[in-house]
C-alpha cells in the first residue's frame, strides 16, 4: 500500500470512532476568560489550579529571569547548560521535600513526562526489576516502564490487597510501585499511606507522580506527601511545575543517592538540552506564592469552588466521580455523546474538554471539568446551570 494512503486509513478509522482530536487556538493567556479561535469563552480545561500561569508576579519573574540568564541554556545539564538558576531552584525544591524525604535532593526536568521516564529507566533498568503499575496510571508512567524494559505487573485501580499479593509473590531484587497520587482523569487520590506501608514491608520503592497534587494539596501546597503526612527513604517523588506552579517543567525529589544515580544514568536527563534558566528563575516566585499566605488563600478559595460545584450540580443520568480535588469529571459514556455535550457547552460559551479513550477506559468518555482558584463563584454557577440544563434535555 502507498504509505500516505496507509496513514490516511488510520486517520479515517479514528474519525469513524469519534476519536479524532482537534486543537483550538487560545489567543489569550491561560485564564478562565479566554479568546479561543477568535471567540470569548469561559474555560474549565486547564491544570493551572492556582491561576499562576498568568499571575503578574510570576510573569514579571520570567521577564527578570530572561534579563539575568538570557533566552536559552545552550546545552544539556552535564555539558554546560546547568545554570545558577537551575541550581537555586533545585535547592529550594529539596528544602520543600525535606520533611518527607530523608536526605532529600531534587532534580529539575524540562517536563514531567521526561521525569517519569527518567525515574523508571534509571531504577527499573536492572535485569531483575519489576514495576508494579497502578491500572489508571498516566501515559508517561506506562511509557517509562516500556522504555526501562523491566517486567511490568499492573495492579487493579486502588486495590491494595491485590498489590500486596503481587509483592509477596515477587522475588525481584528491585521492586518499584508506581502510581499517580491524584488520578488525572478522575481526581481521586491513591491510598498512599497503605501503599507506603506495603512498600516498606516488601523493600520496594514507592514512586509517586504528584502532577496534580503539587501546589494543590497540603497546608503549604507541598503536595500529596504533605497531605498524608508521609516520610520515608523508600519514596521517589515527582512534582510537575507546569500545572499548579503555572510555568513548566518538573522535579524529582528523592534520597540524595537516588538523585545522583539519575544524574549519572537517566538518559531522559542526560541527552536533552536544559530548560531555559528563566523558567527556573520564574518558578522561584511560583514557589514563594504556593508556600506562602497567598497560596493558602488560593487553595481555600479553590476548595470553596469545588464544594459549590458539588452542591449546585443536580445530575441524574451522568455519573460524577466523587473527588475532593479541582478535577471534577462527569462521565457520559459513549465517545460521540461526550463530544456532543462538550459541543453544546461550547455553543454556550463554556469550554470543557471531552476526554476519550485511550486516555480513559472504553465506554467512560467524560467531560473533564477542572476548577482553578482564578475562577469566581459566579463562573462556577454558570457551569453548573448549563450542565444541569443540558442533562435534562
Ligand atoms: C501532566 C502529567 C504528567 C506530565 O507532566 P508534563 O510536565 O506536562 O510533561 C505526568 N503525570 C501526570 C499524572 C500528569 O497529569
Amino acid at each position: 500500500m502507498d504509505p500516505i494512503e496507509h496513514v490516511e486509513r488510520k486517520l479515517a478509522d479514528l474519525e469513524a470512532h469519534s476519536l479524532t482530536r482537534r486543537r483550538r487556538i487560545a489567543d489569550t493567556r491561560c485564564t478562565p476568560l479566554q479568546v479561543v479561535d477568535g471567540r470569548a469563552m469561559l474555560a474549565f480545561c486547564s491544570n493551572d489550579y492556582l491561576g499562576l500561569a498568568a499571575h503578574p508576579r510570576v510573569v514579571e519573574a520570567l521577564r527578570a529571569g530572561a534579563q539575568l540568564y538570557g533566552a536559552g541554556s545552550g546545552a544539556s545539564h552535564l555539558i554546560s547548560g546547568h545554570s545558577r538558576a537551575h541550581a537555586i531552584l533545585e535547592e529550594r525544591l529539596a528544602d520543600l521535600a525535606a520533611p518527607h524525604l530523608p536526605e532529600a535532593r531534587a532534580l529539575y526536568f524540562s517536563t514531567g513526562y521526561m521525569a517519569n521516564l527518567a525515574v523508571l529507566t534509571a531504577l527499573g533498568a536492572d535485569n531483575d526489576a519489576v514495576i508494579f503499575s497502578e491500572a489508571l496510571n498516566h501515559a508517561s508512567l506506562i511509557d517509562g516502564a516500556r522504555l526501562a524494559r523491566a517486567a511490568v505487573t499492573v495492579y487493579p485501580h486502588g486495590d491494595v490487597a491485590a498489590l500486596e499479593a503481587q509483592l509477596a509473590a515477587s522475588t525481584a531484587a528491585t521492586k518499584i510501585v508506581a502510581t499517580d497520587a491524584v488520578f488525572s482523569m478522575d481526581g481521586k487520590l491513591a491510598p498512599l499511606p497503605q501503599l507506603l506501608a506495603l512498600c516498606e514491608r516488601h523493600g520496594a520503592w514507592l514512586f509517586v507522580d504528584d502532577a496534580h497534587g503539587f501546589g494543590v494539596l497540603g497546608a503549604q501546597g507541598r503536595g500529596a506527601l504533605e497531605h498524608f503526612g508521609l516520610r520515608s527513604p523508600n519514596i521517589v517523588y515527582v512534582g510537575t511545575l507546569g500545572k499548579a506552579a503555572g510555568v513548566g517543567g518538573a522535579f524529582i525529589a528523592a534520597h540524595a543517592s537516588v538523585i545522583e544515580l539519575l544524574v549519572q544514568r537517566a538518559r531522559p536527563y542526560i541527552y536533552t538540552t536544559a530548560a531555559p534558566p528563566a523558567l527556573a528563575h520564574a518558578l522561584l516566585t511560583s514557589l514563594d506564592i504556593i508556600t506562602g499566605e497567598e497560596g493558602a488563600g488560593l487553595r481555600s478559595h479553590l476548595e470553596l469552588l469545588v464544594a459549590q460545584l458539588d452542591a449546585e450540580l443536580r445530575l441524574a443520568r451522568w455519573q460524577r466521580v466523587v473527588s475532593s480535588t479541582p478535577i471534577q469529571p462527569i462521565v457520559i459514556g459513549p465517545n460521540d455523546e461526550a463530544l456532543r455535550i462538550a459541543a453544546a457547552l461550547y455553543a454556550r460559551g463554556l469550554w470543557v474538554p471531552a476526554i476519550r479513550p485511550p486516555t480513559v477506559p472504553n465506554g467512560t468518555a467524560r467531560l473533564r471539568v477542572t476548577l482553578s482558584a482564578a475562577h469566581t463563584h459566579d463562573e462556577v454557577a454558570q457551569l453548573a446551570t448549563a450542565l444541569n440544563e443540558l442533562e435534562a434535555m
Side-chain angles (χ1 to χ4, degrees):
M1 195 193 297
D2 171 57
I4 298 292
E5 194 185 323
H6 186 63
V7 167
E8 286 172 349
R9 280 199 195 171
K10 289 189 183 182
L11 292 173
D13 192 50
L14 288 177
E15 187 66 36
H17 291 89
S18 299
L19 288 174
T20 303
R21 296 161 180 232
R22 290 199 168 76
R23 300 175 303 169
R24 296 190 188 280
I25 298 176
D27 291 299
T28 36
R29 297 171 176 214
C30 175
T31 51
L33 290 172
Q34 291 197 27
V35 177
V36 186
D37 291 324
R39 186 172 159 206
M41 297 294 297
L42 175 55
F44 293 92
C45 315
S46 84
N47 303 309
D48 179 29
Y49 300 118
L50 299 180
L52 298 190
H55 191 292
R57 277 177 58 209
V58 178
V59 174
E60 182 47 41
L62 183 59
R63 186 199 308 273
Q67 289 294 348
L68 277 169
Y69 299 102
S73 68
S76 64
H77 286 279
L78 295 187
I79 302 296
S80 63
H82 190 61
S83 97
R84 178 62 61 194
H86 298 124
I88 294 171
L89 176 65
E90 288 180 345
E91 294 219 341
R92 191 66 202 287
L93 290 165
D95 286 347
L96 282 182
H100 309 291
L101 299 163
E103 294 183 50
R105 230 182 108 186
L107 194 63
Y108 177 58
F109 275 75
S110 302
T111 73
Y113 185 91
M114 292 161 71
N116 285 344
L117 297 187
V119 170
L120 290 172
T121 52
L123 291 182
D126 303 345
N127 286 331
D128 52 0
V130 177
I131 297 169
F132 299 85
S133 183
E134 147 78 54
L136 291 192
N137 272 349
H138 188 261
S140 55
L141 294 170
I142 296 167
D143 294 355
R146 286 178 184 158
L147 196 59
R149 290 191 237 149
V152 177
T153 304
V154 176
Y155 64 92
H157 176 51
D159 195 338
V160 177
L163 174 62
E164 170 145 47
Q166 291 175 357
L167 283 169
S170 169
T171 55
T174 302
K175 302 175 191 173
I176 306 166
V177 173
T179 185
D180 286 16
V182 178
F183 293 97
S184 52
M185 295 300 137
D186 69 14
K188 281 191 275 188
L189 297 181
L192 294 181
Q194 291 89 324
L195 296 178
L196 180 59
L198 275 188
C199 287
E200 289 187 331
R201 208 171 321 134
H202 292 276
W205 295 108
L206 178 60
F207 172 26
V208 176
D209 173 357
D210 201 21
H212 300 276
F214 183 75
V216 174
L217 298 175
Q220 291 185 65
R222 291 168 194 242
L225 302 183
E226 185 187 17
H227 172 83
F228 285 115
L230 302 179
R231 175 179 172 86
S232 169
N234 291 46
I235 297 172
V236 177
Y237 178 88
V238 166
T240 65
L241 300 167
K243 289 171 179 162
V247 181
F251 67 100
I252 301 173
H255 187 281
S257 299
V258 174
I259 297 298
E260 188 55 29
L261 179 70
L262 287 162
V263 171
Q264 301 304 326
R265 303 296 301 175
R267 296 167 68 91
Y269 185 72
I270 297 168
Y271 295 104
T272 190
T273 301
L279 299 185
H281 185 76
L283 280 161
L284 297 174
T285 298
S286 292
L287 295 180
D288 284 345
I289 295 172
I290 285 172
T291 56
E293 256 176 57
E294 186 175 353
L298 293 170
R299 282 186 292 277
S300 52
H301 176 60
L302 187 53
E303 266 175 44
L304 291 177
L305 296 177
V306 170
Q308 181 194 348
L309 185 69
D310 184 56
E312 292 183 1
L313 279 181
R314 304 193 196 297
L315 301 179
R317 269 185 305 133
W318 301 336
Q319 252 195 308
R320 292 188 53 208
V321 180
V322 180
S323 148
S324 59
T325 67
I327 302 171
Q328 293 287 320
I330 297 164
V331 179
I332 309 285
N335 298 339
D336 52 352
E337 185 68 359
L339 282 183
R340 194 180 66 76
I341 305 300
L345 286 167
Y346 201 82
R348 293 175 178 224
L350 298 166
W351 187 14
V352 178
I355 307 288
R356 290 159 284 166
T359 311
V360 293
N362 279 325
T364 69
R366 64 197 64 186
L367 302 173
R368 180 176 181 269
V369 171
T370 50
L371 299 177
S372 162
H375 285 117
T376 64
H377 287 291
D378 181 56
E379 288 166 347
V380 170
Q382 283 181 53
L383 175 69
T385 303
L387 284 166
N388 289 338
E389 286 176 12
L390 284 171
E391 201 218 26
M393 275 164 70

